[in-house]
Amino acid sequence: SLGLPDEFVIPLTLAHGVDFGCDKRAADVDSPEPVYWSTNKSLHDRAGKYKPSIIIPHPWIFLRRENGVNDCGRGTLLVGPPPGKENDENLLNTMNYMGIASFDFLLKKRGDVSNSYKFWSDNGIEVVSAGDPDNGFYERLYDVINNYETVVGCTLSSAIFFAAALGKRCVVLTNYTLQFY
């Protein structure tokens, strides 16, 4: 923690999710903040072509150091896709087909997620969330993931990589399809 007030705006852009280096441009380099927060030299080199860049470890590294890892996590966390009727139904069908019946569902709060929340709850699934992508988001996501033993993803969500960084057992479903616009 830098000890700054919550309302203090640090003029840095940190890429949403995990940047795999597949693109010439660093992920989210076009956001309005004047300085890019790179987490490694390769990212720093790509971002530096478009705006000033500084190399700082990913916030997840700081959280792990500060909060430690819960080696006694409970059960399975299913990382949800973009919320929507078809995506939710397809994922529940996939989980049933795979014989995975006991899990909690991580709902990504982006826009109106009330129908997805209701769908999973109505199907007897505990719904958890890290909430809005605000100042406390990473801390809340860390707490959620850290409480589980296994994390299952239906996409290559950054939450899967964050779980792996905590030493959690990670599984990616290979027979799931989703849609998004």
Side-chain angles (χ1 to χ4, degrees), residues 30-67:
D30 293 324
S31 65
E33 295 82 5
V35 179
Y36 194 84
W37 176 340
S38 297
T39 56
N40 60 52
K41 176 94 169 81
S42 172
L43 190 56
H44 176 70
D45 291 345
R46 285 189 292 133
K49 295 174 184 172
Y50 302 95
K51 66 170 56 172
S53 174
I54 185 169
I55 299 175
I56 305 172
H58 195 280
W60 208 255
I61 303 297
F62 295 117
L63 286 170
R64 182 180 170 141
R65 188 177 304 140
E66 290 174 15
N67 299 343

Side-chain angles (χ1 to χ4, degrees), residues 12-179:
L12 300 174
T13 298
L14 177 64
H16 170 81
V18 175
D19 185 321
F20 295 105
C22 309
D23 196 345
K24 289 180 184 179
R25 298 171 64 82
D28 300 319
V29 74
D30 293 324
S31 65
E33 295 82 5
V35 179
Y36 194 84
W37 176 340
S38 297
T39 56
N40 60 52
K41 176 94 169 81
S42 172
L43 190 56
H44 176 70
D45 291 345
R46 285 189 292 133
K49 295 174 184 172
Y50 302 95
K51 66 170 56 172
S53 174
I54 185 169
I55 299 175
I56 305 172
H58 195 280
W60 208 255
I61 303 297
F62 295 117
L63 286 170
R64 182 180 170 141
R65 188 177 304 140
E66 290 174 15
N67 299 343
V69 176
N70 179 359
D71 293 327
C72 301
R74 62 173 170 83
T76 299
L77 177 66
L78 174 61
V79 179
K85 184 177 192 289
E86 187 168 319
N87 288 347
D88 291 337
E89 288 173 354
N90 286 347
L91 185 52
L92 184 58
N93 290 337
T94 298
M95 295 301 281
N96 289 335
Y97 176 79
M98 299 288 295
I100 305 172
S102 179
F103 59 90
D104 293 348
F105 182 79
L106 176 61
L107 180 63
K108 296 177 181 178
K109 192 171 179 194
R110 305 291 187 272
D112 182 9
V113 297
S114 58
N115 288 336
S116 286
Y117 181 89
K118 182 176 178 352
F119 172 84
W120 292 101
S121 295
D122 286 353
N123 280 282
I125 307 299
E126 170 97 19
V127 178
V128 296
S129 177
D132 292 315
D134 57 16
N135 287 344
F137 176 78
Y138 273 125
E139 289 87 352
R140 292 188 306 270
L141 183 61
Y142 190 96
D143 289 341
V144 168
I145 292 172
N146 200 23
N147 284 320
Y148 290 87
E149 177 182 10
T150 302
V151 178
V152 175
C154 59
T155 65
L156 281 180
S157 168
S158 57
I160 299 298
F161 293 89
F162 294 156
L166 296 180
K168 303 300 178 176
R169 180 174 175 259
C170 297
V171 177
V172 178
L173 301 174
T174 58
N175 58 345
Y176 172 73
T177 59
L178 75 151
Q179 70 175 15

